[in-house]
């Protein structure tokens, strides 16, 4: 086969043989066409068209009559402004309503021909006629694309089902905000990186959402992973989808992908770790400043070893859908370090280094470090950002902590970052109740006669101090009497022999004061 020639040479060849081709007979045309196709590489049908129509006059340009002139554009601008600058698809059905109203009130005067054109114009034609007007109305700028949209479009999308069992080193990245109950202002964040193949997770605190700090956090996490990073999968957060972060990742040889917008399941691995690790250990408190970020770093320094070496996790093996029912089957739960050591895609040198780390790690020391770091973070949550002061890390008595592991369950929740008691920053003085000076007397009346009503108590109080108590005080007396009766009943119930005393009092002879008093306090108790 003849060697292909350049475009300039093809043009010269066409000019040389086109006249000979046209004037030749059918057999000669066939031979010339074979040689031309062999030299130029054209398809045979395309070569016939080239040699047949070369040099013919181009078709005349089509002349379109202008249907909507400047007068239509001027009237349309008036309608557009009167509608508060609606889009064309909404302005089109409004014109038959708006135009008669403007004419009826003398706001717009049109002839019949122009009026018919305004009623006939399509939404697409409105967009063409109003395009320059809208640019000027926006201040001379066309509609901007969204923030980082060009960078976002350059990053390919990777969904939940596109991983196809990758090698260790492909991680999903996400932010967890430590903003408390308000997202205003600046606050610390945790960058979470989870490996898809092994589940190995690294957490890095970031003081603020800034591109330079994001790159520094990725560098730190990259040095902590037991294997080289190969790719990062971000969400559509502007902290990730910007030119600085994306270009740096690509310059480091990392494959950059992103999830679909508003589809959290595309990052299911890291989203699960956000709750199972960060929220479980840190909670939902607000952390601000360099000191809080340092405290978070101390926590994650021990969490990374305790979680990756001694915390088994499940890994999805297959998912089957039968109609509306989804059946999931999982591999046996193992720590991430076991998956790394068993994976053939991890270098032997990395495995040896990881095996040495596993043999030297003490789970009790790591767990004690987690509780100490949580205690420091918990004190910061208590203060709620007020009266901030630097504090030394909490010292842990390791022997005492080890012994407490057997009995820690008896005191309930032990994470200092969870269930923090609410404390008023400004103590308010307790308002004195109007019944406080008479409380001993009222309790004596109730003990002497447990069936006395609140109205009778109020009558006695009105007799004792008419200037303080009136009939309007009935509700206050009722609530106080009810509270005191509940308190008295609770004290009797907490006493261990209340049932025995109640039973004896129902059968005892008259004159046994202790049993009689118990029966009076409790009312009708079945014997």
């Amino acid at each position: 086969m003849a060697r292909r020639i350049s475009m300039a040479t093809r043009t010269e060849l066409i000019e040389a043989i086109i006249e000979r081709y046209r004037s030749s007979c059918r057999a000669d045309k066939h031979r010339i066409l074979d040689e031309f196709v062999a030299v130029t590489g054209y398809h045979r049908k395309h070569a016939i068209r080239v040699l047949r129509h070369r040099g013919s006059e181009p078709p005349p340009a089509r002349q379109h009559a202008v249907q909507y002139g400047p007068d239509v554009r001027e009237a349309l601008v008036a309608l557009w402004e009167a509608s508060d600058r609606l889009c064309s698809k909404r302005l089109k059905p409004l014109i038959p309503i708006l135009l008669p109203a403007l004419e009826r009130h003398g706001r717009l005067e049109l002839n019949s021909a122009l009026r018919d054109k305004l009623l006939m114009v399509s939404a697409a034609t409105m967009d063409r006629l109003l395009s320059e007007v809208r640019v000027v109305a926006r201040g001379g700028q066309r509609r901007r694309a969204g923030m980082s949209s060009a960078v976002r479009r350059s990053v390919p999308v990777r969904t939940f089902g596109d991983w196809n069992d990758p090698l260790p080193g492909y991680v999903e990245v996400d932010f967890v905000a430590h903003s408390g109950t308000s997202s205003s202002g600046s606050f610390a964040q945790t960058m979470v990186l989870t490996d898809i193949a092994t589940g190995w997770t690294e957490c890095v605190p970031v003081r603020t959402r800034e591109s330079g700090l994001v790159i520094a956090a990725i560098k730190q996490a990259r040095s902590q992973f037991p294997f080289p990073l190969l790719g990062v999968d971000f969400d559509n957060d502007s902290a990730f989808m910007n030119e600085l972060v994306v270009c740096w990742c690509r310059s480091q040889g990392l494959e950059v992908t992103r999830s679909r917008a508003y589809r959290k399941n595309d990052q299911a691995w890291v989203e699960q770790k956000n709750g199972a690790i960060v929220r479980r250990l840190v909670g939902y408190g607000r952390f601000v400043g360099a000191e809080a970020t340092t405290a978070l770093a101390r926590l994650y320094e021990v969490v990374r070893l305790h979680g990756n070496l001694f915390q088994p996790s499940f890994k999805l093996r297959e998912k089957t859908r039968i109609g509306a029912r989804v059946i999931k089957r999982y591999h046996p739960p193992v720590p991430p370090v076991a998956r790394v050591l068993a994976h053939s895609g991890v270098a032997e040198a990395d495995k040896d280094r990881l095996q040495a780390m596993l043999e030297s790690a003490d789970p009790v020391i790591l767990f004690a470090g987690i509780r100490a770091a949580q205690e420091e973070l918990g004190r910061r949550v208590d203060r709620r950002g007020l009266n901030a002061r630097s504090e030394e890390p909490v010292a842990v008595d390791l022997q005492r902590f080890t012994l407490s592991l057997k009995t820690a369950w008896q005191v309930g929740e032990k994470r200092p970052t969870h269930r923090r008691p609410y404390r008023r920053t400004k103590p308010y003085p307790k308002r004195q109740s109007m019944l406080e000076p008479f409380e001993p007397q009222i309790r004596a009346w109730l003990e002497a006669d447990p069936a006395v009503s609140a109205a009778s108590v109020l009558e006695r109080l009105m007799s004792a101090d008419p200037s303080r108590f009136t009939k309007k005080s009935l509700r206050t007396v009722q609530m106080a009497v009810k509270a005191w009766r509940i308190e008295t009943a609770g004290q009797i119930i907490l006493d261990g022999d209340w049932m025995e005393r109640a039973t004896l009092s129902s059968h005892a002879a008259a004159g046994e004061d202790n049993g009689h008093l118990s029966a009076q306090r409790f009312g009708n108790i079945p014997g």
Side-chain angles (χ1 to χ4, degrees):
M1 181 179 291
R3 185 170 59 88
R4 301 292 173 86
I5 59 178
S6 64
M7 183 61 67
T9 308
R10 289 175 183 173
T11 303
E12 295 175 359
L13 180 61
I14 292 171
E15 296 293 340
I17 68 174
I18 187 170
E19 294 299 332
R20 184 163 60 92
Y21 176 80
R22 291 179 178 178
S23 60
S24 300
C25 63
R26 184 181 182 87
D28 293 339
K29 284 184 178 181
H30 191 276
R31 179 178 52 80
I32 294 172
L33 190 61
D34 289 342
E35 295 176 355
F36 182 71
V37 169
V39 173
T40 60
Y42 285 157
H43 189 274
R44 194 174 186 85
K45 286 297 183 181
H46 178 65
I48 293 173
R49 285 192 293 269
V50 168
L51 295 176
R52 180 179 297 173
H53 300 291
R54 187 74 173 182
S56 58
E57 294 294 331
R62 299 179 62 182
Q63 299 294 330
H64 297 278
V66 178
Q67 183 176 1
Y68 301 105
D71 53 346
V72 177
R73 180 173 176 271
E74 183 179 354
L76 188 60
V77 169
L79 292 170
W80 177 65
E81 288 287 1
S83 68
D84 196 13
R85 301 183 179 182
L86 290 178
C87 68
S88 298
K89 290 186 177 180
R90 296 175 62 194
L91 181 59
K92 168 66 177 176
L94 181 63
I95 289 179
I97 303 172
L98 182 61
L99 182 56
L102 295 179
E103 290 179 332
R104 186 165 54 250
H105 295 280
R107 312 301 181 190
L108 199 62
E109 296 182 0
L110 306 175
N111 55 41
S112 59
L114 182 57
R115 191 176 189 276
D116 293 340
K117 288 181 179 180
L118 288 173
L119 295 174
M120 292 172 54
V121 64
S122 65
T125 304
M126 290 183 192
D127 286 331
R128 288 192 296 270
L129 294 175
L130 297 174
S131 59
E132 298 300 329
V133 176
R134 287 170 173 164
V135 171
V136 176
R138 295 191 190 103
Q141 297 180 355
R142 296 186 180 273
R143 180 179 295 175
R144 297 191 311 174
M147 290 289 293
S148 308
S149 61
V151 177
R152 189 178 292 110
R153 287 194 297 269
S154 69
V155 177
V157 172
R158 173 171 275 161
T159 66
F160 175 84
D162 293 340
W163 285 107
N164 299 323
D165 197 14
L167 293 173
Y170 288 92
V171 298
E172 289 182 344
V173 188
D174 194 15
F175 265 138
V176 179
H178 302 293
S179 59
T181 58
S182 173
S183 60
S184 62
S186 178
F187 45 85
Q189 309 235 357
T190 296
M191 180 185 291
V192 186
L193 302 92
T194 301
D195 181 64
I196 304 300
T198 63
W200 188 283
T201 301
E202 294 288 347
C203 300
V204 182
V206 180
R207 183 174 178 179
T208 57
R209 292 165 48 87
E210 196 270 323
S211 301
L213 296 179
V214 170
I215 293 176
I218 297 176
K219 285 182 180 178
Q220 179 180 343
R222 192 179 185 185
S223 65
Q224 293 174 346
F225 271 94
F227 40 77
L229 288 190
L230 304 177
V232 287
D233 183 72
F234 299 125
D235 58 13
N236 292 271
D237 193 338
S238 59
F240 300 129
M241 291 294 103
N242 58 76
E243 188 174 0
L244 184 62
V245 174
V246 173
C247 291
W248 180 85
C249 291
R250 288 172 174 169
S251 68
Q252 299 297 313
L254 299 177
E255 180 184 351
V256 183
T257 56
R258 65 180 176 91
S259 63
R260 295 171 293 178
Y262 308 109
R263 300 293 183 89
K264 283 188 175 293
N265 200 49
D266 285 352
Q267 287 196 311
W269 284 276
V270 72
E271 291 289 348
Q272 190 268 341
K273 301 300 181 184
N274 291 347
I277 296 179
V278 180
R279 292 303 186 195
R280 182 170 178 267
L281 295 176
V282 181
Y284 293 85
R286 184 180 181 90
F287 300 104
V288 181
E291 294 180 359
T293 306
T294 304
L296 286 170
R298 282 196 289 267
L299 173 64
Y300 294 139
E301 186 178 355
V302 288
V303 165
R304 64 178 298 266
L305 297 179
H306 186 267
N308 292 315
L309 302 183
F310 301 108
Q311 292 289 302
S313 60
F314 286 92
K315 183 176 176 61
L316 185 65
R317 183 177 64 188
E318 62 178 0
K319 183 170 66 173
T320 307
R321 180 180 293 276
I322 303 176
R325 183 185 178 191
V326 177
I327 301 176
K328 297 180 181 180
R329 292 183 174 85
Y330 297 86
H331 294 286
V334 294
V337 63
R339 296 193 182 99
V340 177
L341 295 175
H343 204 288
S344 60
V346 180
E348 292 299 326
D350 295 334
K351 290 183 179 180
D352 294 340
R353 188 164 52 251
L354 193 58
Q355 185 66 42
M357 181 191 302
L358 178 61
E359 293 175 357
S360 62
D362 186 344
V364 175
I365 293 179
L366 295 175
F367 189 55
I370 291 175
R371 285 291 183 256
Q374 284 181 318
E375 183 66 33
E376 181 181 357
L377 291 172
R379 292 201 301 265
R380 294 181 179 275
V381 176
D382 280 348
R383 291 200 302 271
R384 299 178 181 269
L386 300 176
N387 304 321
R389 60 183 182 275
S390 59
E391 296 182 359
E392 295 296 328
V394 178
V396 179
D397 185 348
L398 189 59
Q399 183 177 3
R400 183 178 180 182
F401 181 83
T402 304
L403 294 175
S404 69
L405 294 178
K406 298 179 180 180
T407 59
W409 60 272
Q410 298 176 359
V411 294
E413 180 60 61
K414 290 293 292 182
R415 298 184 186 93
T417 52
H418 291 63
R419 302 180 183 175
R420 307 302 299 178
Y422 179 76
R423 298 176 181 175
R424 290 184 181 272
T425 56
K426 295 182 179 180
Y428 295 99
K430 182 180 178 182
R431 182 180 177 183
Q432 185 179 9
S433 172
M434 62 185 303
L435 298 177
E436 281 189 13
F438 302 89
E439 181 177 347
Q441 182 63 46
I442 297 174
R443 288 182 178 271
W445 293 339
L446 292 175
E447 290 181 2
D449 185 8
V452 66
S453 65
S456 300
V457 173
L458 178 60
E459 290 179 359
R460 299 179 187 181
L461 292 174
M462 290 172 61
S463 301
D465 191 350
S467 61
R468 179 187 294 266
F469 297 99
T470 63
K471 292 185 178 180
K472 294 182 179 180
S473 307
L474 178 60
R475 182 58 181 164
T476 304
V477 176
Q478 287 176 337
M479 291 189 296
V481 169
K482 180 179 180 181
W484 290 332
R485 282 176 172 160
I486 293 175
E487 180 183 351
T488 303
Q491 292 175 355
I492 296 174
I493 292 174
L494 291 177
D495 191 358
D497 59 345
W498 68 273
M499 181 63 75
E500 180 181 355
R501 287 190 295 155
T503 304
L504 291 175
S505 65
S506 63
H507 298 287
E512 295 182 359
D513 295 336
N514 292 336
H516 180 62
L517 180 58
S518 299
Q520 281 186 332
R521 286 183 175 179
F522 242 82
N524 296 326
I525 300 178

